[in-house]
Amino acid sequence: MGGHHAASGAAAWVAVTASTPIAFGWYPVTDVGIMTGAVVCAGAALLPDADHHSGTIANSLSPVSDAVVKVVETVSGGHRKGTHSIVGVVVFTVIAWLVGMLAIDTGLEGDLKTILIGPGIVCVLLVAFALKALKITRDTKILPWTASISMAVLIAIFAPSEWYWMPFSVALGCVVHILGDFITTQGVPLLWPIRIRSPRWVRANKKLPFDDMWRYGGNFAFPILGSAGSKREWILMTPVSLYAIVGVAWAALDQMGFDTMSVWNAVVGSIGDMVTTWA
C-alpha cells in the first residue's frame, strides 16, 4: 500500500545513512541529511507507482503530478510494468542525477554562490508524494505545494551541500518499492521489457511453489505477504514504520545537541542488567 511504501523508504534511508547503533551507516550523511532524506526517500519509494493515473501520487501535487503520471504511464506501458523493473530503477536514478545538475550562479559568496535548483525540483515532487501517501496533506490544494516548496527552499539555503545524496535516495526508494511489491502475490516484471512467461508445466503443477513465484505474465514474486494490504503486511510494516520514526527523531535530537548516546548506553545497560538478573 502507498503509505507502507513511503514508510519502508524512510526506514531504508535511516538504516543505510544513519551512524547510530540501530543503523548500518553504509552511506553516512549528516543529521540534516537523515531527517530530510527520510522524507525524500519516502517519496522516492512511491515513484514506481507513477505509472498509475489513479494511484496515490497522481493527485498529490496537481496539476504537475497529474501530467507527470500520464507521461510515465504512457512510456512504461501501464501499471506494474516498466517502472517496476531494473530498467525503471536505472531510468529514475539517471533522471534524478541529470536534473540534479541544474544550478543557478547567484554571484554571491560562500554557500549561496551556486544554488542547485534541480534537486530542489525533485525534492518538491518527492516530498509531495510522501505527504500524500502518509495522509498528512489529505486532499488539500495549497498545503502540498507550500510544504514541499518550503522544505526544498530550506535545504537549498541552509544546507545546500546536502543535495549530493538525491540520486542515491531516488535509487534506494525505487528498489525498496520493488522489493515490497516482489513479496506480494502479484509480483513485479523485473526483466521488463523482456517478458518471459512461465512454462506450461509450472502452471499445470499447482503443488509446486513455482506457480506463485513465476507468474504467467512474466512477473516474479516471493509472496510471503500475500496480497497488498493483507494483515501480514500490516504486521511487518508497523515495526518498520516505528523504526523510521525513531531514526528520524534520533537525528533531530542529535542535531539539537542532545547526548543521545548516553541515553542509549543507559537503556542498553539496564536491559543487560535485567537479563542477567533473570538468568
Side-chain angles (χ1 to χ4, degrees):
M1 304 298 289
H4 288 161
H5 277 308
S8 65
W13 181 258
V14 170
V16 172
T17 62
S19 300
T20 57
I22 62 172
F24 300 111
W26 293 331
Y27 188 84
V29 300
T30 64
D31 292 326
V32 173
I34 294 171
M35 292 183 287
T36 55
V39 180
V40 172
C41 196
L46 293 160
L47 269 177
D49 277 347
D51 59 2
H52 193 2
H53 64 274
S54 60
T56 301
I57 69 176
N59 301 312
S60 60
L61 203 66
S62 297
V64 175
S65 58
D66 304 280
V68 171
V69 167
K70 288 179 181 178
V71 172
V72 174
E73 185 176 22
T74 300
V75 174
S76 66
H79 186 46
R80 284 216 187 190
K81 291 185 172 62
T83 60
H84 288 71
S85 67
I86 296 173
V87 171
V89 174
V90 173
V91 170
F92 278 130
T93 305
V94 170
I95 290 174
W97 176 68
L98 291 175
V99 175
M101 293 191 294
L102 296 176
I104 293 178
D105 189 349
T106 63
L108 301 175
E109 297 297 330
D111 291 338
L112 295 180
K113 177 177 177 56
T114 301
I115 295 181
L116 298 172
I117 62 171
I121 295 172
V122 176
C123 179
V124 169
L125 285 171
L126 298 185
V127 169
F129 296 165
L131 296 179
K132 179 70 173 181
L134 297 173
K135 301 186 185 303
I136 295 175
T137 54
R138 299 290 179 172
D139 295 324
T140 60
K141 299 295 184 181
I142 299 176
L143 184 57
W145 281 99
T146 54
S148 304
I149 292 176
S150 296
M151 176 172 283
V153 170
L154 288 173
I155 297 176
I157 295 177
F158 296 106
S161 61
E162 292 295 337
W163 287 132
Y164 72 88
W165 46 251
M166 181 64 73
F168 176 71
S169 175
V170 170
L172 180 62
C174 290
V175 169
V176 170
H177 180 111
I178 292 174
L179 287 176
D181 283 349
F182 176 71
I183 57 177
T184 60
T185 305
Q186 192 174 350
V188 290
L190 288 175
L191 303 179
W192 184 94
I194 301 173
R195 184 173 63 174
I196 305 175
R197 297 182 183 276
S198 58
R200 184 174 298 176
W201 67 268
V202 169
R203 302 192 300 274
N205 197 334
K206 299 297 182 180
K207 295 182 179 181
L208 296 177
F210 302 118
D211 183 51
D212 291 332
M213 300 173 67
W214 188 359
R215 314 295 294 180
Y216 173 70
N219 284 12
F220 296 95
F222 187 63
I224 57 175
L225 295 186
S227 300
S230 66
K231 291 182 179 179
R232 279 176 282 177
E233 178 182 325
W234 281 93
I235 292 173
L236 171 65
M237 290 309 303
T238 297
V240 169
S241 301
L242 291 175
Y243 172 80
I245 293 172
V246 170
V248 172
W250 192 318
L253 291 173
D254 280 344
Q255 181 65 23
M256 289 186 289
F258 287 91
D259 188 2
T260 53
M261 282 306 302
S262 294
V263 177
W264 170 261
N265 291 332
V267 171
V268 172
S270 298
I271 294 175
D273 291 340
M274 286 190 294
V275 172
T276 302
T277 301
W278 291 338

